[in-house]
Amino acid sequence: MKPIEMTLRSRVLLFAAVAVGLVALVGGVLFVTASRGERGLAQMLAIQSQTEIYGRMTDESFGYLSTLLHTRETGGDTQAVLEAQEKRFAAGFARLEELVREEHAGEPMEGELERIEQLQRALQRWLRGSEERVRLAPGGGEAATLVHESLQAFREKVAPHLKEAWDQSRADLDEHERRGQQSLGIGRVVGVAVPLVALVLVLSMASIIYLNMRRALGTLLERAQRMGEGDLDSELPVKGERDEYDLMARAINRMATQLRSAVQERERYNALLEQTVRQRTAELEQANARLTDSLQQLQAAQSQLLFADRLATVGQLAAGVGHELNNPLAFVLSNLNYAQQVVTEMEAAPTPVERRELLEALADAREGAERVRLIVRDLRMLSHPDDREMGPVDLVKVVRSAAKMAAHEIRGRARLVQAVENVPPVHGNSARLCQVFLNLLINAAHAIAPGAVERNEIKLSARVDGTHRVTVEVRDTGSGISKDKLERVFEPFFTTKPAGEGSGLGLSVCKSIISAHGGDISVESEPGQGTTFRVSLPVYGGEARA
Ligand code: ADP
């Protein structure tokens, strides 16, 4: 079907106009039919009233005759009876004329009025003739003759007019009835046919509008779907100027164009982004390489730092260790000299007393050599060749070794109390941990002035925190650290000791060793009261390691 070239608004307006027109037509037809029926009913009522008046006039005529006769018999005034009857008939005829006018409203009615006038004149003549006859007739038994004559006169002069009028009314009534039936038939046909035609028309128009809209919407929908699938190139056909479809098609085409340029813009932007990302990645790779270099340099520097600190510790220890070694060595030497001298001077087999003294000297020498071995062993722990070797570390042993090495520094300043026992092994490197505790013990010793051993104490203790960590505490009763310095003690090269005595590296190296162990080191101090360092380390095999 060729589509009707109309805008959607025009179609809907046309549809509404046709619907309203059809409703108005149906209403008009029904109104006219009802008005005609009403008018027909009024006419029929008017005709019926006329017929009744004709009947009443006939009856009254006979009544008038008997009234006349009775009046004459009683010596009354027959002329008064005539006048009264004339008045009544005049009123009847006036009413008749009114009814005829009602019946023929807007239609010609001269013939009808003429007929009524003829009847009125005939009836008037009869009334007067009858009165005259009764009044002038001699008295006695002539009443029957009088009635007979008057009735004869009525039959001849009045009845034909009455019959004619009555027949006319009857004919009018039949005509109106016929017309009424006809109007009813038309009304019935119109009442059924017009709504049917209206329904068919409205349905056809609605279908045409619906089909056109569906076709246009289908095209628009298909285009929108294609756009959604990424096809932005094909255009919707545009025909007219004011059609809603055309407006929408234009809008969709415009949208597709804008989308096309947005997509192109996005592609351009993506390409630019990719290029920028590539460029940045290259820059990042370069920076990463530089960072790796720096890291390696830093690691090398850190190793050197650790080594330097170890050297410093060893340097500090050298005098003490020398002294420690000197004592047992002098002991060993004097006992060996004694033994050598006894054996040299001996000529025969030794006496039991000589033998016992010799054995005692050798045992003392052996004990002295054993003390030297232990000191050397502890020194080896500090200079362990492989720093990276990690494993279970017995803190009791490590702390004891560190205490032994620091014994020379502590002696003469404070009592050393060791309460490190029954702790699980921690994960780490024993040489490095020994270095940490040795540093802490030497610092504690240096914080206490020599000479008041009884009043000062350095205490080593340990406790298990939860199931995964062990905390070792090094507490001293030394000078303490003021608040402003407390924040800086872990900084590399921070020292309060005179040049040549302190490097300021000890605590920073301790911190980096403990951090490398997954542990933590903290300090608490009260100037004049003392200082406590706490080292927390993960238990070997515990979850904290993970
Ligand atoms: P150094 O001992 O070479 O000075 P450290 O890093 O070991 O370097 O210590 C830094 C500073 O922290 C010390 O100079 C000292 O002032 C302070 N300090 C460290 N331990 C204690 C302590 N137990 N009591 C008081 N002061 C301490």
Side-chain angles (χ1 to χ4, degrees):
M1 190 187 345
K2 192 177 182 306
I4 298 168
E5 299 291 341
M6 279 176 89
T7 63
L8 183 61
R9 199 186 316 126
S10 317
R11 282 180 200 150
V12 172
L13 284 176
L14 178 68
F15 177 78
V18 169
V20 169
L22 286 171
V23 169
L25 181 68
V26 173
V29 168
L30 290 177
F31 179 75
V32 169
T33 311
S35 303
R36 285 178 66 178
E38 193 182 23
R39 164 110 187 87
L41 187 67
Q43 285 176 320
M44 282 168 77
L45 285 174
I47 293 167
Q48 202 177 4
S49 300
Q50 287 173 44
T51 320
E52 279 170 14
I53 290 174
Y54 289 136
R56 216 167 36 242
M57 280 180 173
T58 309
D59 293 345
E60 276 185 25
S61 299
F62 297 128
Y64 167 70
L65 262 187
S66 55
T67 309
L68 273 182
L69 286 173
H70 178 71
T71 308
R72 205 208 75 167
E73 275 168 19
T74 55
D77 184 1
T78 53
Q79 275 188 319
V81 174
L82 169 66
E83 275 169 27
Q85 190 59 51
E86 272 181 341
K87 259 188 203 163
R88 274 199 295 279
F89 276 174
F93 278 109
R95 174 71 188 137
L96 258 180
E97 204 175 309
E98 232 174 75
L99 288 170
V100 169
R101 285 185 197 286
E102 248 175 59
E103 180 195 340
H104 292 276
E107 291 173 20
M109 55 185 170
E110 283 69 30
E112 196 92 351
L113 289 177
E114 206 177 312
R115 240 190 328 273
I116 290 170
E117 272 172 30
Q118 282 175 2
L119 171 65
Q120 190 174 7
R121 277 197 298 274
L123 204 54
Q124 210 163 18
R125 274 198 300 275
W126 180 78
L127 284 177
R128 286 181 186 162
S130 297
E131 190 271 334
E132 207 172 66
R133 199 172 295 120
V134 170
R135 180 166 38 88
L136 299 179
E142 288 171 36
T145 318
L146 284 173
V147 169
H148 177 75
E149 282 171 7
S150 285
L151 283 180
Q152 190 60 33
F154 189 85
R155 217 172 282 128
E156 285 166 9
K157 305 285 183 200
V158 181
H161 290 291
L162 265 175
K163 187 175 180 306
E164 194 185 350
W166 198 85
D167 284 349
Q168 182 60 44
S169 294
R170 189 70 247 164
D172 286 351
L173 207 59
D174 289 348
E175 174 61 15
H176 281 301
E177 195 179 331
R178 191 186 59 74
R179 275 201 230 156
Q181 290 294 347
Q182 201 178 16
S183 291
L184 268 178
I186 292 170
R188 219 176 279 136
V189 170
V190 168
V192 174
V194 173
L196 264 180
V197 170
L199 189 70
V200 169
L201 260 172
V202 166
L203 282 178
S204 327
M205 286 194 69
S207 312
I208 289 170
I209 290 174
Y210 169 72
L211 288 174
N212 277 328
M213 272 176 67
R214 205 173 73 158
R215 186 185 54 78
L217 282 177
T219 315
L220 293 174
L221 200 68
E222 191 199 347
R223 171 74 180 120
Q225 268 170 354
R226 281 215 310 275
M227 274 173 67
E229 286 159 8
D231 172 15
L232 300 174
D233 294 329
S234 51
E235 293 241 314
L236 272 172
V238 177
K239 289 165 272 168
E241 283 290 316
R242 297 173 51 225
D243 189 295
E244 281 82 1
Y245 163 80
D246 276 10
L247 288 176
M248 280 196 78
R250 276 204 187 89
I252 287 182
N253 285 342
R254 229 182 359 259
M255 200 165 78
T257 312
Q258 283 166 358
L259 272 173
R260 236 183 348 254
S261 57
V263 166
Q264 283 163 1
E265 182 66 22
R266 197 185 59 190
E267 279 167 0
R268 262 203 309 282
Y269 176 74
N270 278 350
L272 192 70
L273 204 66
E274 269 173 33
Q275 193 189 338
T276 312
V277 166
R278 266 200 301 276
Q279 201 176 322
R280 293 279 182 278
T281 309
E283 284 171 14
L284 271 177
E285 276 167 3
Q286 282 172 9
N288 201 22
R290 281 202 297 276
L291 268 178
T292 310
D293 280 356
S294 305
L295 188 67
Q296 280 167 358
Q297 284 170 13
L298 269 176
Q299 279 170 343
Q302 193 192 24
S303 308
Q304 281 172 4
L305 209 60
L306 284 172
F307 184 65
D309 181 67
R310 225 178 305 156
L311 280 182
T313 311
V314 169
Q316 273 183 343
L317 281 176
V321 169
H323 186 78
E324 287 289 305
L325 287 175
N326 246 352
N327 271 345
L329 270 180
F331 198 57
V332 169
L333 279 176
S334 76
N335 278 299
L336 283 178
N337 282 339
Y338 170 74
Q340 189 184 21
Q341 193 186 338
V342 170
V343 172
T344 311
E345 289 171 0
M346 201 177 286
E347 288 168 359
T351 63
V353 174
E354 284 172 336
R355 190 171 171 273
R356 188 168 40 84
E357 283 176 355
L358 210 55
L359 281 175
E360 271 175 13
L362 284 175
D364 286 349
R366 190 189 148 87
E367 192 194 316
E370 178 62 21
R371 276 174 64 187
V372 171
R373 188 184 70 81
L374 287 176
I375 290 169
V376 170
R377 188 201 65 185
D378 290 341
L379 276 176
R380 278 186 61 214
M381 178 175 280
L382 189 64
S383 60
H384 200 286
D386 191 359
D387 284 352
R388 286 166 302 176
E389 195 183 282
M390 302 283 269
V393 173
D394 182 356
L395 276 181
V396 180
K397 270 190 193 169
V398 168
V399 168
R400 204 173 287 155
S401 293
K404 263 189 203 154
M405 280 186 269
H408 182 260
E409 297 290 328
I410 296 168
R411 197 174 302 135
R413 296 173 195 258
R415 284 171 286 116
L416 179 66
V417 179
Q418 290 192 58
V420 179
E421 47 203 29
N422 295 332
V423 285
V426 296
H427 179 76
N429 177 286
S430 53
R432 298 284 66 81
L433 290 178
C434 181
Q435 185 182 349
V436 169
F437 292 115
L438 182 58
N439 258 329
L440 295 179
L441 285 170
I442 291 175
N443 277 349
H446 287 177
I448 299 168
V453 177
E454 282 315 306
R455 276 188 277 122
N456 288 300
E457 183 183 273
I458 295 175
K459 185 173 181 185
L460 280 163
S461 60
R463 63 166 190 272
V464 180
D465 285 338
T467 49
H468 307 304
R469 292 183 96 79
V470 173
T471 300
V472 179
E473 252 181 34
V474 181
R475 181 192 295 269
D476 66 62
T477 53
S479 58
I481 310 168
S482 61
K483 214 167 181 186
D484 55 323
K485 289 177 185 146
L486 198 63
E487 292 165 2
R488 303 187 55 201
V489 290
F490 291 108
E491 284 177 18
F493 307 109
F494 174 76
T495 180
T496 57
K497 293 173 187 170
E501 269 186 42
S503 65
L505 287 171
L507 288 178
S508 75
V509 168
C510 286
K511 193 171 175 71
S512 72
I513 291 173
I514 295 300
S515 299
H517 277 71
D520 199 24
I521 181 166
S522 62
V523 60
E524 206 176 276
S525 186
E526 191 68 37
Q529 300 292 312
T531 306
T532 304
F533 279 91
R534 285 191 190 87
V535 175
S536 156
L537 289 162
V539 167
Y540 182 78
E543 277 174 40
R545 254 181 78 202

